[in-house]
Amino acid sequence: MSVIQEISEALQKGKANDVKELVQRELDDGTSAKEILEGGLMAGMDIVGRQFKANEIYVPEVLIAARAMAAGTELLKPLLVSEDVQPRGTIVLGTVKGDLHDIGKNLVKMMMEGKGFNVVDLGTDVAADRFVAAATENKADIIACSALLTTTMTEMKNVVAAAESAGARDTVKIMVGGAPVTQQYCDSIGADAYAADAASAAEKAVGFIES
Ligand code: B1M
């Protein structure tokens, strides 16, 4: 097995220290950061995403794999900047106003980063105007909103309205998700996409960029 494959395997098993060691070894051997990111870390995270979607693994395993990915990307970040690897696109992500749940949102972030996106994480309790201002400031392709409460998901409608009044509706796609959110709700507020889970959210984001 190549070291790149070993990196993917170690990430899937959530072995952060192994990932760190293997990434450093591969860098010392002269492999580019881009190759390590795509062939090792992102490939491993793709498999984790598929397993999570198929209910073959659960939240704790995904969080441990995310920690391992963070350990690897930490070493690569400065090199990726100098190698001028362009991110796939920029996504502004947050949990909507009034809502403090962030476990699902953090998984969405991790899956999106695993697909090569630059994710601007606004955290929790994010008002509609802040989503739109951050999207404009960062020239984002996508605004991604998470909500876990039936009482807060209505803020997503305000995000769509705020993007419209800021004249940003043609340049930014709006994606919604979280336990109480449905495709029907997405359609009713005029958002562009709904995703039921973190892996699907990342796949849909890729679909927007490649379409
Ligand atoms: Co709260 N909570 N909570 N809670 N909490 C729920 C959501 C609830 C269903 C529990 C219940 O009553 N059965 C209920 C909501 C009821 C409703 O509105 N229908 C509830 C309530 C009522 C509350 C409080 C109001 C309780 C109170 O204080 N009386 C309060 C609200 C605080 C606030 O936000 N203002 C509250 C507080 C909390 C804690 C702080 C204790 C904690 C949050 C900790 C944290 O997030 N850091 C908490 C937790 C942990 C939960 C439960 C138990 C678990 C949520 C979770 O993290 N799930 C939850 C019950 C449950 O879901 N079983 C509950 C795991 C996570 C991986 O799943 O977030 O669904 P989830 O994310 C998934 C998908 O939804 C999707 O991808 C993720 C992974 O695949 N997804 C997206 C999420 N965002 C997406 C965005 C996308 C696409 C997909 O595109 C952009």
Side-chain angles (χ1 to χ4, degrees):
M1 193 192 303
S2 70
V3 178
I4 291 271
Q5 280 169 325
E6 281 185 58
I7 292 171
S8 164
E9 296 260 325
L11 182 144
Q12 291 167 53
K13 291 179 187 149
K15 296 187 170 172
N17 286 338
D18 289 2
V19 168
K20 238 168 138 173
E21 259 179 56
L22 291 163
V23 166
Q24 191 58 58
R25 198 196 302 170
E26 203 57 4
L27 284 173
D28 293 344
D29 281 353
T31 309
S32 75
K34 183 174 188 283
E35 222 173 305
I36 298 170
L37 178 70
E38 290 175 357
L41 299 174
M42 279 167 66
M45 195 48 81
D46 258 351
I47 295 169
V48 170
R50 281 204 295 273
Q51 290 172 334
F52 184 47
K53 200 172 165 189
N55 291 322
E56 288 164 12
I57 59 169
Y58 299 96
V59 173
E61 288 99 319
V62 180
L63 291 176
I64 292 167
R67 203 183 52 191
M69 174 133 188
T73 47
E74 204 51 45
L75 288 174
L76 298 181
K77 250 179 203 163
L79 297 160
L80 288 170
V81 172
S82 62
E83 281 176 17
D84 199 24
V85 174
Q86 292 301 315
R88 201 168 213 157
T90 296
I91 298 174
V92 164
L93 170 70
T95 304
V96 298
K97 188 175 162 188
D99 200 325
L100 302 175
H101 295 85
D102 68 357
I103 297 170
K105 186 264 297 167
N106 292 342
L107 286 172
V108 170
K109 176 184 181 183
M110 191 260 300
M111 292 294 175
M112 287 173 163
E113 287 183 337
K115 291 280 184 195
F117 284 99
N118 167 37
V119 180
V120 179
D121 184 357
L122 301 179
T124 59
D125 193 19
V126 182
D129 289 350
R130 246 186 94 209
F131 274 109
V132 176
T136 308
E137 193 181 316
N138 293 283
K139 297 189 172 54
D141 305 283
I142 299 168
I143 292 175
C145 310
S146 176
L148 261 287
L149 300 171
T150 44
T151 48
T152 60
M153 62 191 264
T154 48
E155 181 70 4
M156 292 172 166
K157 189 177 178 184
N158 298 338
V159 175
V160 176
E164 266 161 17
S165 21
R169 200 62 192 92
D170 291 340
T171 51
V172 73
K173 300 283 185 194
I174 299 175
M175 181 183 292
V176 294
V181 182
T182 60
Q183 181 65 55
Q184 197 187 3
Y185 182 69
C186 167
D187 296 341
S188 76
I189 62 169
D192 298 298
Y194 157 75
D197 55 68
S200 313
E203 279 164 19
K204 288 202 173 175
V206 172
F208 278 143
I209 298 298
E210 290 178 353
S211 67

